Amino acid sequence: MRTSLWPVALRLLPPTAGPKERGTRGAATAPPGGPDQPATLAVPPKLSGLIFHSGWREQILLVLLSVAVFLVNILPLELQRRIVNDATDGADWRSIAWLAAFYALLALILGLLKLGMNIYRGRTSESAVRWLRAAILGDIGHFRHGARRPLPPGVEVSLVLSEAEPIGSFVGVSISEPLLQGGILLSVFGYLTYLNPLMAIVAVAVFSPQIIFVPLMQNAINRRVGQRIATLRTLSIEIIDAPVDARQAERLYDREIGAVFALNMGIFKLKYSMNFAMNLFHHLGVAAVLGVGGYFVSRGETEIGTVVAFISGLAQVNAPWGDLVNWYRELRVTQTKNGLITQVLATLAPPRPAAPIPD
């Protein structure tokens, strides 16, 4: 069963050579790099190529679902504002009940849209993982009977099993996630600006420092992720090709495992420090809105429902902003991991002939 699934997955891969390179039907033509090397690599050199080849039709549907979610997401804020204002102004209870029922209906619709989008994201990601694993195995010549294995077994296992998983999993959120979270941010801040421009400016000013420190901290995380993957590859080779001397093997394993531990701790410290700073700026924004909004309410220049809508809006902004930062973090890490895989596979591709020098 294990080997019978891969030919099906391999049929999803793009052709490795054009009609002219394949020769006539029935003729066996060797690739230019020899029988042990593929003519061209099926794994795209860039992450964008992987996203396109593993399912661009799925990405279109995810984009449409994302647009629907962030358009529906803005309506509950207006309903909250109207319910609070009607209640404080002594409006008829029937109108408040209808608004509350409409709010519950919108919550149901929004939940169903998110449920469908998340399930389809998972399907898209798993399809990309299957595609990428089959492509890696095809590029390293795993299916060629009697061919020389060009990579150490430890590296091959690491590429196919552990390193392909997070890269393919990112495909499902690669386009829909920034569109969804960015759409929510823009729509919510646009609505808040419509309600009270000054309070919206205060909220944006409190959030703006994150645009500076988030990329800096993420770059530091990326460097440690790359070092961690390289160290794990080395450890895989050392475990498979274990030295004869047990003491020498123990020293090697302790050194590599200790290095992985130190790199992981560095990643944890940077990641959770970033989360701490983001949560702190969110609460500072809430405090600023409460102060400015309370001042306007005391002077009769705004309504209580507007302040409630701002607080709820900032709560809605905090989650999408955090998700957008997580997506950016995952994007950079995935780019690093994908680059490490393509670097290994690039050594298997035959060198291209140099272009002739014109006379």
Side-chain angles (χ1 to χ4, degrees):
M1 291 297 295
R2 179 182 177 185
T3 56
S4 62
L5 293 177
W6 283 110
V8 178
L10 283 174
R11 285 198 292 269
L12 301 175
L13 299 177
T16 57
K20 294 182 180 179
E21 296 173 350
R22 293 177 185 271
T24 59
R25 179 174 296 182
T29 57
D36 294 344
Q37 292 179 330
T40 56
L41 294 177
V43 177
K46 293 184 179 180
L47 183 61
S48 57
L50 171 63
I51 295 170
F52 176 81
H53 283 292
S54 61
W56 59 269
R57 293 181 182 87
E58 288 80 358
Q59 298 295 337
I60 293 177
L61 181 56
L62 286 174
V63 165
L64 295 177
L65 287 172
S66 300
V67 172
V69 169
F70 78 71
L71 288 179
V72 176
N73 190 77
I74 193 64
L75 297 177
L77 289 178
E78 177 63 17
L79 288 175
Q80 289 178 12
R81 186 182 71 86
R82 292 190 179 187
I83 290 173
V84 172
N85 287 337
D86 289 351
T88 55
D89 293 340
D92 184 63
W93 68 270
R94 293 182 180 85
S95 62
I96 298 176
W98 277 110
L99 290 174
F102 189 40
Y103 183 93
L105 178 62
L106 282 178
L108 175 62
I109 295 173
L110 187 61
L112 291 175
L113 285 173
K114 289 182 178 180
L115 175 63
M117 183 182 64
N118 289 331
I119 292 176
Y120 201 70
R121 276 180 175 180
R123 182 183 184 278
T124 302
S125 295
E126 288 303 312
S127 298
V129 171
R130 182 181 66 174
W131 188 95
L132 181 57
R133 282 173 170 164
I136 293 174
L137 287 173
D139 283 345
I140 61 182
H142 185 84
F143 302 104
R144 296 186 182 91
H145 298 289
R148 179 179 58 85
R149 303 290 281 273
L151 293 177
V155 174
E156 183 176 332
V157 171
S158 178
L159 289 177
V160 175
L161 296 185
S162 61
E163 297 185 34
E165 180 83 21
I167 297 175
S169 299
F170 179 75
V171 172
V173 299
S174 58
I175 298 177
S176 61
E177 184 72 1
L179 179 64
L180 171 63
Q181 308 304 341
I184 292 176
L185 288 174
L186 292 177
S187 60
V188 170
F189 274 119
Y191 173 73
L192 296 181
T193 303
Y194 166 76
L195 292 181
N196 193 307
L198 181 57
M199 292 173 63
I201 291 174
V202 171
V204 172
V206 173
F207 271 86
S208 58
Q210 301 184 47
I211 301 175
I212 299 175
F213 70 76
V214 166
L216 295 177
M217 298 181 72
Q218 186 57 47
N219 289 335
I221 293 176
N222 293 341
R223 289 192 296 268
R224 287 163 174 79
V225 169
Q227 295 171 4
R228 177 180 177 273
I229 293 176
T231 305
L232 287 175
R233 285 180 183 174
T234 303
L235 181 60
S236 299
I237 297 174
E238 292 173 351
I239 291 175
I240 293 177
D241 300 332
V244 179
D245 187 358
R247 293 184 178 179
Q248 180 184 1
E250 183 178 358
R251 287 195 300 268
L252 289 174
Y253 298 162
D254 288 343
R255 182 186 63 189
E256 304 299 341
I257 293 174
V260 171
F261 173 81
L263 291 170
N264 284 338
M265 289 304 302
I267 293 173
F268 290 152
K269 291 177 182 178
L270 288 169
K271 177 181 177 180
Y272 294 122
S273 296
M274 187 189 306
N275 292 340
F276 165 77
M278 291 171 58
N279 289 329
L280 175 62
F281 278 97
H282 165 69
H283 290 293
L284 290 177
V286 172
V289 167
L290 285 174
V292 176
Y295 171 77
F296 284 146
V297 170
S298 65
R299 294 176 58 89
E301 297 180 8
T302 192
E303 301 169 322
I304 297 178
T306 300
V307 179
V308 172
F310 259 87
I311 300 301
S312 180
L314 287 180
Q316 289 195 20
V317 164
N318 187 51
W321 173 248
D323 292 338
L324 197 60
V325 171
N326 290 335
W327 173 86
Y328 173 75
R329 177 190 304 160
E330 192 174 353
L331 169 67
R332 297 301 303 274
V333 170
T334 305
Q335 287 176 335
T336 301
K337 294 179 178 179
N338 187 72
L340 292 172
I341 288 181
T342 55
Q343 285 177 8
V344 173
L345 297 179
T347 61
L348 308 180
R352 295 183 177 180
I357 301 176
D359 296 334

